[in-house]
Amino acid sequence: MGIVNVTPDSFSDGGNYATEKQAVAHGLALLREGADILDIGGESTRPGAAPVSEAEELDRVMPVVQELAKSGAIISVDTSKAVVMKEAIKAGAHIINDIRALQEPGALEAVAETDAGVCLMHMQGAPATMQNNPNYRHLIEEVEQFLIQQALRAEKAGIARERICLDYGFGFGKTVEQNFELLAHTNYFARLPYPILVGLSRKSSIGAVTGRGVHDRLVGSVTGALLAAQRGASIVRVHDVAATRDAFKIWLMTENQSHKD
Ligand code: 9MG
């Protein structure tokens, strides 16, 4: 899953039209690099990021969804707002990626009344404050319980199990150690009857371990994505599609050869 941010700060151009054009071009480039899914988002989910109004999010995201849907790619939209979900699905989005796990007003119903897939993610707190003091008694069990509870809630609302994937939310209300504990336990989550999505690309915990700034986290991010996939993640959400695919090719080639005697 390649990341397409439609946030003016990600492209530093200061205007929606230029941002849109660059986001579409970026999405097409990620498809050429081999992305299977594009995840389009109009609101930054970084710790401390300012919230965006519904109208502004629609303005940012919809033209990009409409344009990239024409490419035939699988389109995911990263949003928690029911109206954005509905409009995006009408415009051709196939998946809603919700860091708030369909808990905002109307979100559950907005997805349930369509055939779209959904990613339900765990987050402790809200983006503005989530890194202040992450606190768990039993991290793995608490995250698992939350994810199962939200998945069952979604199923009860009419979202078939096959439409749901789960994400333990690397970087969302967790310390560096907690993020890596979750990554190490990806196989524990992968035994659940839902595919697992992992997103750790360029995140601050990758920077904390490697000592690298946000633009120098390629090796750390690719290694993390590979570890997640080797532990059973079905989808990895990444900025660097080509490099991640290369790493996966090496892994799969090695796996294939290891079955020979
Ligand atoms: C939108 N977004 C940013 N980070 C993410 C992550 O780790 N997982 C998912 N599902 N979405 C994310």
Side-chain angles (χ1 to χ4, degrees):
M1 171 185 271
I3 300 170
V4 181
N5 287 321
V6 202
T7 46
D9 50 330
S10 345
F11 292 104
S12 66
D13 54 67
N16 272 355
Y17 179 64
T19 303
E20 262 167 55
K21 271 186 45 175
Q22 290 179 77
V24 170
H26 186 62
L28 294 174
L30 293 181
L31 292 176
R32 287 193 295 274
E33 288 184 29
D36 295 314
I37 306 171
L38 296 176
D39 189 40
I40 303 167
E43 177 170 34
S44 174
T45 52
R46 269 174 307 167
V52 166
S53 72
E54 187 177 281
E56 178 64 20
E57 198 177 324
L58 281 170
D59 256 20
R60 289 181 185 180
V61 158
M62 291 308 299
V64 180
V65 171
Q66 280 155 2
E67 207 48 41
L68 288 175
K70 291 183 197 159
S71 69
I74 300 176
I75 303 295
S76 161
V77 173
D78 148 26
T79 186
S80 299
K81 297 186 181 77
V83 172
V84 179
M85 292 174 182
K86 285 186 194 175
E87 290 303 312
I89 294 167
K90 265 195 245 159
H94 307 89
I95 302 171
I96 297 300
N97 173 28
D98 186 3
I99 63 162
R100 295 178 181 82
L102 301 182
Q103 294 180 100
E104 291 296 298
L108 184 67
E109 297 74 17
V111 174
E113 66 198 21
T114 71
D115 290 330
V118 65
C119 178
L120 304 172
M121 199 195 78
H122 175 273
M123 167 166 59
Q124 187 177 79
T129 52
M130 65 190 175
Q131 290 312 116
N132 289 354
N133 185 24
N135 185 22
Y136 301 87
R137 277 169 65 85
H138 300 288
L139 172 72
I140 303 298
E141 290 76 8
E142 284 174 44
V143 173
E144 181 195 25
Q145 267 200 0
F146 172 85
L147 291 175
I148 292 175
Q149 192 184 317
Q150 297 311 318
L152 294 178
R153 173 176 170 261
E155 286 189 49
K156 209 168 157 197
I159 303 175
R161 182 164 291 192
E162 301 70 45
R163 294 167 54 195
I164 299 171
C165 89
L166 303 180
D167 182 345
Y168 48 66
F170 188 105
F172 286 87
K174 286 109 186 169
T175 63
V176 174
E177 289 74 16
Q178 287 163 350
N179 284 322
F180 283 94
E181 188 180 338
L182 285 162
L183 177 59
H185 284 80
T186 302
N187 46 357
Y188 180 81
F189 291 95
R191 81 192 199 300
L192 297 173
Y194 309 90
I196 299 299
L197 186 156
V198 175
L200 47 74
S201 187
R202 299 185 189 173
K203 287 190 177 170
S204 63
S205 287
I206 301 291
V209 173
T210 58
R212 305 275 177 194
V214 70
H215 296 300
D216 295 315
R217 295 179 187 160
L218 175 66
V219 176
S221 300
V222 170
T223 306
L226 185 62
L227 290 169
Q230 288 181 335
R231 285 165 167 75
S234 300
I235 303 173
V236 285
R237 182 179 181 277
V238 305
H239 296 89
D240 302 291
V241 171
T244 308
R245 282 199 79 106
D246 282 358
F248 282 28
K249 281 182 192 161
I250 298 299
W251 167 40
L252 293 177
M253 184 69 184
T254 310
E255 281 300 305
N256 290 340
Q257 296 309 310
S258 76
H259 298 305
K260 288 190 175 167
D261 28 40

